[in-house]
Amino acid sequence: MFDLFSKFGEIKEKASKVKDDLISKKFTSTDTIHGISISTNGKKDVLSISLSDSFCTLTKSEQEKILLETLQRALNQSETYAISSFKEIVPNIPGFNIFG
């Protein structure tokens, strides 16, 4: 029983380090054809959006579509990294599929 509690303490300490890493990790998705770049961190916070002058020549619906697609790619990178980071520290407990 005590061993189980010590494992939880160890997991909590490692999770805190992963959380700090997620804040500092940066992911960027770029659509070079349309001149847009979006950066996020591992917590899925949007850090920056960069648009080229040629992006403004697109129609509103084209802009919305490209922004959405580029943002989704950046967020997917963030999420994939976060999940893989936490999978490394959380033990595999039968019956508990934490990460789907």
Side-chain angles (χ1 to χ4, degrees):
M1 180 87 161
F2 178 73
D3 186 47
L4 182 62
F5 287 119
S6 68
K7 289 280 187 203
F8 285 131
E10 184 180 317
I11 292 170
K12 184 178 177 183
E13 185 178 313
K14 288 180 180 178
S16 178
K17 290 178 184 176
V18 168
K19 184 178 174 185
D20 292 341
D21 179 52
L22 292 177
I23 293 169
S24 64
K25 192 76 171 169
K26 184 176 180 180
F27 302 92
T28 302
S29 178
T30 303
D31 184 327
T32 54
I33 295 171
H34 301 102
I36 178 174
S37 180
I38 299 177
S39 295
T40 60
N41 65 13
K43 287 184 58 188
K44 297 191 210 178
D45 298 326
V46 176
L47 303 176
S48 66
I49 298 175
S50 174
L51 306 173
S52 70
D53 291 337
S54 64
F55 183 79
C56 297
T57 63
L58 301 170
T59 66
K60 181 182 176 192
S61 63
E62 289 172 326
Q63 290 175 351
E64 290 171 345
K65 180 180 181 231
I66 294 163
L67 276 168
L68 184 62
E69 290 170 352
T70 307
L71 178 59
Q72 192 61 51
R73 281 194 306 272
L75 292 173
N76 285 342
Q77 291 173 7
S78 300
E79 182 176 21
T80 299
Y81 181 79
I83 288 172
S84 67
S85 296
F86 279 109
K87 275 185 175 180
E88 291 177 13
I89 62 170
V90 176
N92 185 13
I93 302 170
F96 290 94
N97 189 2
I98 296 171
F99 300 106

